[in-house]
Amino acid sequence: MGKSGDKILKIMIKFKFELVPEEGVVKPYMEPYGYIFRAILMDWLKKLKPELVHELHSYNKIRPYSIQLSYRRKEIVFYLNIFDPMIAEVLVSDLIKKKEKTFEVSNQTYLLKKVLFEDYSLTTLFKQGKPVKKFKIKFLEPTYFSTTRSKNVVRLPIPELIFSNLSNLWNSLSHEEAYIEEEVFLDWVNRSLYLSSLDIKTDAKDMGESVPAVGFIGWANFEISKNEKNYSKLIDTLCKFGELSNMGSNRTAALGRIRYKPIEYFNFRKIQH
């Protein structure tokens, strides 16, 4: 980890949108997917500030947002995590101006019943990191990784791929004062962090194309054999960060959503649940 200065890392804004159908009834076959809400976000930004959409689609640029969804019997809850304050400011300004906001979701009009804002400081996230020894990651949505080694994607919770992806996201979405020296860090991951047990299966998700996205869901337990240079604290930080950013391919379309559960820290204090 690079030296931390006095500058504050970027603030992430978490939007929670509660949407209800205009007609009062959710269609029984309705199951909106993350790619639909990604398109909704792009259309929304295009109307407000088209240059932002162009910037978001810049080649090889990490997208500074993630999408997460939950479904209820009478509403859809749409979470939008924004790591770029400029984008967040544009959306907040529009929401303040308009008393009523609607979204077209799969040919059905939804009213914005409620919107909540919550900010996260990546600095605080890092400072609160603890030296985790054992932990579990639940993969709630299909997760898969693209690598430079092959054209084929990887559908396994390999530690190197998980933390290569998360550290790359972290470096792209935070300031350079918190830069992770990825090569050294991943060398430690390969030597000291291993998969201890898992229960996963493959699952497909519609992406609006002829071929669905296929990844793994389930859970995996991990253990760190030796703590060095506070890397176990960095693992704790990156896993919490991953709960906000998602991980892997198509994370901006709600894939790669995870839940992190620390089990034991390096002071050998087991966590009571």
Side-chain angles (χ1 to χ4, degrees):
M1 201 76 175
K3 293 182 180 179
S4 296
D6 294 330
K7 292 183 180 180
I8 298 176
L9 296 181
K10 289 181 180 179
I11 300 295
M12 190 212 81
I13 306 295
K14 186 182 185 100
F15 293 82
K16 179 184 179 183
F17 300 92
E18 295 183 13
L19 309 178
V20 294
E22 187 177 45
E23 299 175 358
V25 178
V26 178
K27 294 178 181 178
Y29 54 84
M30 175 70 177
E31 188 180 353
Y33 294 99
Y35 76 90
I36 295 175
F37 284 86
R38 180 168 60 186
I40 288 172
L41 173 63
M42 292 301 106
D43 288 341
W44 188 7
L45 286 173
K46 189 174 182 180
K47 293 175 183 177
L48 300 175
K49 203 164 185 177
E51 60 269 28
L52 279 180
V53 177
H54 177 73
E55 185 179 339
L56 286 173
H57 285 89
S58 297
Y59 181 70
N60 267 348
K61 183 174 181 180
I62 298 292
R63 310 294 192 258
Y65 68 93
S66 65
I67 287 173
Q68 299 170 345
L69 299 171
S70 66
Y71 313 107
R72 299 175 183 173
R73 294 182 65 181
K74 296 183 179 181
E75 65 181 11
I76 299 171
V77 180
F78 163 41
Y79 296 93
L80 177 62
N81 303 320
I82 300 286
F83 295 88
D84 186 328
M86 185 180 297
I87 298 175
E89 183 179 345
V90 169
L91 298 182
V92 170
S93 178
D94 186 59
L95 289 168
I96 292 174
K97 289 177 184 177
K98 296 179 180 178
K99 292 184 179 180
E100 292 187 0
K101 182 73 179 174
T102 61
F103 295 93
E104 292 296 319
V105 184
S106 298
N107 298 318
Q108 187 174 10
T109 301
Y110 277 75
L111 304 174
L112 179 57
K113 175 185 173 183
K114 183 190 296 184
V115 59
L116 300 174
F117 310 90
E118 187 176 2
D119 61 79
Y120 290 82
S121 165
L122 299 187
T123 297
T124 301
L125 201 66
F126 174 67
K127 289 180 177 179
Q128 291 178 345
K130 297 180 181 179
V132 68
K133 179 177 175 62
K134 297 178 182 180
F135 60 95
K136 172 180 284 187
I137 296 179
K138 292 184 179 180
F139 301 91
L140 306 175
E141 294 289 347
T143 304
Y144 63 100
F145 302 96
S146 298
T147 72
T148 56
R149 301 174 186 175
S150 170
K151 294 181 180 180
N152 297 322
V153 300
V154 180
R155 301 183 179 93
L156 290 170
I158 299 172
E160 180 187 7
L161 294 182
I162 289 173
F163 291 101
S164 172
N165 184 257
L166 289 177
S167 60
N168 185 40
L169 285 173
W170 176 273
N171 281 344
S172 300
L173 301 176
S174 65
H175 286 306
E176 62 182 15
E177 286 81 7
Y179 183 80
I180 298 170
E181 296 179 5
E182 291 186 64
E183 186 175 347
V184 179
F185 170 61
L186 293 175
D187 178 65
W188 172 84
V189 167
N190 284 326
R191 287 186 291 104
S192 304
L193 196 159
Y194 61 92
L195 186 63
S196 58
S197 60
L198 78 165
D199 183 5
I200 62 170
K201 63 179 181 180
T202 54
D203 187 34
K205 205 77 169 183
D206 183 17
M207 295 298 292
E209 301 174 354
S210 58
V211 179
V214 179
F216 63 89
I217 59 172
W219 59 263
N221 284 330
F222 300 86
E223 185 167 349
I224 296 173
S225 60
K226 185 180 180 182
N227 185 22
E228 295 178 284
K229 299 180 181 180
N230 284 325
Y231 283 145
S232 65
K233 289 181 65 175
L234 184 53
I235 293 292
D236 186 57
T237 297
L238 288 176
C239 287
K240 292 174 182 175
F241 170 70
E243 289 186 306
L244 301 169
S245 67
N246 299 344
M247 70 166 67
S249 299
N250 272 312
R251 65 179 188 83
T252 59
L255 298 191
R257 185 181 178 188
I258 67 166
R259 184 173 298 135
Y260 166 61
K261 180 181 178 182
I263 299 172
E264 183 178 339
Y265 295 120
F266 261 100
N267 57 9
F268 301 105
R269 177 172 61 86
K270 288 190 176 182
I271 301 170
Q272 301 296 320
H273 293 286

